[in-house]
Amino acid sequence: MLVVMKAQATQEEIQKVCEHIEQLGFRAHPMPGATRTAIGITGNQGMVESGTLEELSGVAEVIAVSKPYKLVSRDVKEDDTVIGFPGTNATIGGRDLAMIAGPCSIESREQAFAVAEQVAAAGAQFFRGGAYKPRTSPYAFQGLGEQALKIMAEIRERFGLRIVTEAIDNEALELVDRYADVIQIGARNMQNYSLLRAAGKKRKPVLLKRGMSATLEEFLMAAEYVMSEGNYQVILCERGVRTFADHTRNTLDLSIVPAVQRLSHLPILVDPSHGTGKRNKVLPLARAAVAVGADGILVEVHHQPDKALSDGAQSIYPEQFAQLMDEASQIAAILRRNVPRGIEIKEKAGAISAVR
Ligand code: PEP
Ligand code: MN
């Protein structure tokens, strides 16, 4: 169910409707929009009796949502969700594209800083590195854990880059939430409902990767799990699905970008690294992702990919990332979008300094 408030409804009226919904034993999710606020109702098994809700002051209408996903839907929120990072000019969603780059794994302080320096110089606003790695083999490098999180926190201090990193389980989630700016949930965990709920209880944005055989509906329902707990800052990410094709690691399904944008207000990024598994295919697919309308790119970059402890074959060189930034800017301009260069940190005193 969805309560659509009148355009001129006051905060107090919105608050009263939310309280009424909670008194009925349901959960209220107010979603402010450009023209009006809608309040999603979850926790109900069937229809909520809409009569009294309709009578409350400021309510325009009460409508049944027929789709299984509610809070992710454009029915609840018409305009695109734009996620901001307080104290910076970085956003995910909206006109500016989010360029997220870094090594698959944080291997050492030297390695992480070498890559961070170069992606920052090329204009990235987000640095992504793995601290906890979901590896196919239990004998493969599993990540440096908290040590890697500390290195990334230093990188944020030094370069201003906002930090994205994966939480593979509930234990890692607590630490990732403490150190990072964005919590990544990986493809293998897209349907780990207890982890999704736990991430939904956090207040940092959640970057949710598509499961390797997930349908569009399953993908959106996974996002719904996070949002149903009250965390509305969800970023979707297409990273390729499994098919019969064996010339690439996965098959990057770019058609999901417009499909998601039609149904949902959430931003959707594309990861051409895991999507192809091959360095020579990363730039072409990244260009295509920008052209198809993705809200940003998540890409693996390593200064010495031959020595990488994970995903070296799909990691691009820093120079290739710089080239990608230029090409993405040009393609984005055709779509009247923008690739911001560098992150601006608004210091506590209010001064603005560009970190490049
Ligand atoms: C990763 O981002 O390094 C990763 C493991 O990705 P995915 O969950 O998409 O396989
Ligand atoms: Mn990887």
Side-chain angles (χ1 to χ4, degrees):
M1 299 287 284
L2 181 63
V3 179
V4 182
M5 299 299 291
K6 290 179 183 155
Q8 67 275 20
T10 63
Q11 270 315 315
E12 207 185 346
E13 287 171 329
I14 294 168
Q15 182 65 28
K16 283 243 165 68
V17 175
C18 290
E19 280 165 16
H20 186 88
I21 293 167
E22 305 270 343
Q23 272 162 20
L24 292 172
F26 309 125
R27 185 153 184 177
H29 303 267
M31 299 274 182
T35 53
R36 44 101 175 134
T37 290
I39 304 169
I41 303 178
T42 60
N44 55 310
Q45 297 302 329
M47 296 281 277
V48 178
E49 211 280 294
S50 61
T52 52
L53 283 171
E54 252 156 13
E55 297 310 315
L56 296 178
S57 146
V59 173
E61 58 175 334
V62 180
I63 47 183
V65 180
S66 52
K67 303 188 188 79
Y69 40 87
K70 303 176 194 306
L71 305 174
V72 305
S73 165
R74 280 209 192 268
D75 293 346
V76 172
K77 186 168 180 286
E78 261 181 319
D79 35 314
D80 294 343
T81 285
V82 180
I83 296 169
F85 293 83
T88 78
N89 65 335
T91 54
I92 302 182
R95 186 171 173 269
D96 285 352
L97 267 57
M99 304 301 276
I100 305 176
C104 179
S105 300
I106 300 297
E107 300 163 8
S108 67
R109 195 173 178 281
E110 293 64 40
Q111 172 252 15
F113 268 73
V115 179
E117 183 171 13
Q118 300 205 56
V119 299
Q125 294 184 313
F126 297 90
F127 181 78
R128 196 203 72 121
Y132 301 91
K133 298 306 302 178
R135 304 302 300 278
T136 305
S137 164
Y139 310 118
F141 178 62
Q142 306 284 311
L144 297 180
E146 189 171 3
Q147 191 191 336
L149 297 175
K150 288 185 175 158
I151 294 169
M152 286 188 280
E154 269 189 70
I155 285 175
R156 176 177 44 225
E157 276 301 302
R158 170 76 183 81
F159 302 103
L161 297 164
R162 298 298 101 170
I163 304 298
V164 182
T165 193
E166 178 169 352
I168 50 166
D169 53 28
N170 289 309
E171 196 184 328
L173 176 66
E174 295 307 318
L175 286 163
V176 167
D177 182 45
R178 195 178 311 156
Y179 288 95
D181 299 292
V182 177
I183 302 162
Q184 177 176 320
I185 304 285
R188 289 156 194 80
N189 271 319
M190 192 208 79
Q191 287 182 312
N192 179 339
Y193 299 120
S194 87
L195 185 60
L196 295 175
R197 279 196 193 281
K201 294 197 170 82
K202 302 297 180 197
R203 286 300 166 263
K204 296 239 168 109
V206 173
L207 190 159
L208 178 64
K209 299 189 88 177
R210 180 183 181 186
M212 48 190 96
S213 64
T215 63
L216 172 59
E217 188 168 305
E218 287 164 344
F219 194 16
L220 294 177
M221 291 309 287
E224 186 79 21
Y225 260 91
V226 178
M227 295 183 79
S228 71
E229 294 293 339
N231 187 345
Y232 308 125
Q233 299 192 304
V234 180
I235 303 144
L236 302 170
C237 180
E238 160 63 24
R239 48 76 74 203
V241 289
R242 258 227 188 137
T243 68
F244 53 83
D246 58 5
H247 63 288
T248 51
R249 180 176 175 183
N250 290 295
T251 297
L252 193 65
D253 177 16
L254 290 178
S255 71
I256 203 159
V257 173
V260 162
Q261 288 168 339
R262 198 180 158 89
L263 298 173
S264 176
H265 53 86
L266 295 175
I268 171 138
L269 311 180
V270 169
D271 167 359
S273 305
H274 296 86
T276 65
K278 305 219 166 121
R279 185 175 311 131
N280 63 28
K281 297 184 176 55
V282 172
L283 262 66
L285 270 298
R287 291 192 294 264
V290 176
V292 85
D295 296 303
I297 302 291
L298 187 158
V299 65
E300 289 187 339
V301 181
H302 201 296
H303 66 311
Q304 294 173 325
D306 296 343
K307 295 190 181 153
L309 296 181
S310 61
D311 287 350
Q314 67 191 32
S315 299
I316 58 171
Y317 289 95
E319 308 80 66
Q320 290 179 293
F321 178 66
Q323 180 188 338
L324 169 59
M325 288 294 287
D326 285 339
E327 292 174 350
S329 284
Q330 294 181 54
I331 298 167
I334 298 171
L335 303 170
R336 300 195 200 298
R337 298 188 77 177
N338 177 45
V339 177
R341 295 301 182 98
I343 187 156
E344 285 172 12
I345 306 297
K346 299 171 180 116
E347 248 101 49
K348 284 189 193 91
I352 294 178
S353 65
V355 180
R356 284 292 305 267

